[in-house]
Amino acid sequence: MTGRRRPPSSRSFRTITGAVAAGALLLTGCGALPGGSGDSREPVTVVTWAPSGDAAPEAANMAGMTAMAQAYGRWINAAGGIDGHELRVVTCDEQDTPTGAGNCARRAVKEKAVAVLGSYSRHGRAFMAPLEAAGIPYIGGYGASEEEYRSYTSYPLTGGQSALLAGTAGQLAHGCDRISLVRPDTLAGDSQAWLLRTGLTGAGRPAPLDIPASEEATSYNAEAERALSGAGTDRGCVTSVLGDRTETFFDSFRRLEPEGTRVRVASVLGSVGQPLIDRTGGRNSPFEGAYVTGWYPAPGDARWNEMRKVIREHAFRDDRIDPDDTGVQTTWIAYTALRSLVESMHESRITAGKVTRALGRGVRVDTGGLTPALRWRYDDMLGSEAYPRIVNSKVTFQVVREGRLVAERKGFVDVARTLVDASATR
């Protein structure tokens, strides 16, 4: 998923927050955060990277992820660190380029990081090789690169976009007779179409009408017309997974709907989320009533309360951090997972090798209920050639009601069967 978003703040605010960040760097060095345990236990250094949106006009903006990492570091160190270890957080602007991703990975090696946590990059080939060579685990990436689900040094928290598409099939199968899918005209888009088809046919539904579309278009009138014709207006549904162009597609689609009708629409988190719903009119947005498949509980779930409290008390009103944003949530969960892991190790010195060995031995990682409890033993993995590193094949079903994403079904839904079937028949 692309995850591209425009920076919400003005140039003047960026100047102010940049000065604050620079001051923090001067105080702590290399992006590290202050605080310490006061005992003999050594600090634990971790790295989080994400693009800030400033590298180019079309660059992704996921700056909330690095800002969340910094806030987490301030909070946990104020409370005495993790199992007595000061948490030293190093952040890096990935710039949404292969060069930037590679530079951030080499930064992690230079800093002797024990892990890279809660990061975003679409350039897995550029960053994974340096981490593999140094033996640094990549824990809880956003799922924007294929390598995150293949590399032996990667420990994903979710099933990525593949799990979301498989979940969308299950969600649509209950309420839709005919379905149109608008997806990128790419190899990744081909895989999306196959996953949705596999899930729908497995549930006894017809295959969707597959409509490839350009990710760079500024209007989707032709695709919207095909989607509406294919779905119809009687128990028909239209789903789109176009990253930051999903908004553009559904704007075109709603304009073409016959007066007095409201076709059910659907998407996945990363293409549609609470920030987008808020920005496009809340309860009057084109996404009202939409099905949305996610990895985590809905934004209003009580399990997010601790994260929200940390943001209020330790983010210093940094408006890069939106607690409803999937990237911010992913970073929080990755740091929560590391905390659970380090506390289980009871070591005076934490290294990348020790973290990797603990993960390999099957230490059970708790994320506070935001995902199922996770382990990365061989037996815990999905067993699919297409998705060899997935250990969490569960998703959540959500729906937009009164402008808010809320749970459509309680708990997690396991989509392992669809993922395995799609992999076996591809």
Side-chain angles (χ1 to χ4, degrees), residues 2-328:
T2 62
R4 295 182 183 177
R5 296 184 288 114
R6 291 288 178 268
S9 56
S10 67
R11 181 178 297 273
S12 61
F13 184 81
R14 287 199 304 270
T15 302
I16 294 170
T17 56
V20 172
L25 293 177
L26 288 172
L27 287 170
T28 63
C30 302
L33 297 174
S37 63
D39 63 15
S40 60
R41 296 205 164 192
E42 296 186 8
V44 171
T45 298
V46 295
V47 172
T48 296
W49 63 61
S52 66
D54 294 332
E58 293 300 315
N61 174 20
M62 303 298 287
M65 298 177 72
T66 49
M68 182 72 253
Q70 292 167 342
Y72 188 99
R74 286 189 287 267
W75 168 64
I76 204 68
N77 287 332
I82 301 177
D83 195 33
H85 296 273
E86 175 191 353
L87 182 64
R88 181 173 177 267
V89 177
V90 178
T91 60
C92 186
D93 184 356
E94 184 265 0
Q95 300 180 337
D96 202 20
T97 66
T99 298
N103 287 342
C104 285
R106 286 184 284 275
R107 175 76 178 278
V109 176
K110 180 180 178 182
E111 298 286 351
K112 295 181 172 57
V114 306
V116 174
L117 297 177
S119 295
Y120 177 100
S121 178
R122 297 185 295 158
H123 308 288
R125 291 184 181 180
F127 72 74
M128 201 62 80
L131 298 184
E132 289 175 346
I136 298 174
Y138 186 81
I139 302 174
Y142 187 80
S145 63
E146 183 178 343
E147 287 75 11
E148 294 177 46
Y149 298 97
R150 293 186 175 277
S151 172
Y152 62 86
T153 199
S154 180
Y155 298 86
L157 300 173
T158 72
Q161 192 168 52
S162 298
L164 295 182
L165 262 295
T168 296
Q171 198 169 14
L172 292 173
H174 292 291
C176 308
D177 291 336
R178 295 190 299 170
I179 298 163
S180 296
L181 167 66
V182 182
R183 49 81 171 183
D185 189 10
T186 61
L187 289 175
D190 293 345
S191 296
Q192 292 175 11
W194 186 254
L195 273 163
L196 191 67
R197 177 190 179 95
T198 301
L200 288 172
T201 56
R205 292 294 188 185
L209 174 63
D210 182 22
I211 306 172
S214 169
E215 291 182 286
E216 306 302 325
T218 56
S219 174
Y220 290 98
N221 287 338
E223 291 84 358
E225 288 179 357
R226 286 191 64 199
L228 183 59
S229 175
T233 57
D234 183 16
R235 285 181 57 84
C237 296
V238 174
T239 184
S240 175
V241 184
L242 290 170
D244 66 349
R245 290 294 192 270
T246 302
E247 175 185 356
T248 305
F249 167 76
F250 279 122
D251 182 63
S252 297
F253 180 79
R254 289 303 192 194
R255 292 174 188 272
L256 291 172
E257 278 185 297
E259 188 174 350
T261 65
R262 190 75 170 178
V263 177
R264 174 81 74 171
V265 300
S267 192
V268 299
L269 284 180
S271 286
V272 172
Q274 191 62 54
L276 175 59
I277 295 164
D278 293 342
R279 192 172 68 246
T280 56
R283 67 184 60 188
N284 297 315
S285 84
F287 304 105
E288 181 65 23
Y291 289 136
V292 180
T293 306
W295 297 309
Y296 315 130
D301 192 284
R303 283 168 284 188
W304 294 114
N305 288 350
E306 185 173 46
M307 179 191 73
R308 292 177 181 276
K309 182 180 179 182
V310 169
I311 292 171
R312 287 194 306 270
E313 296 179 358
H314 296 273
F316 306 136
R317 298 184 180 179
D318 187 339
D319 73 351
R320 294 174 298 170
I321 305 179
D322 185 338
D324 293 339
D325 177 72
T326 313
V328 168

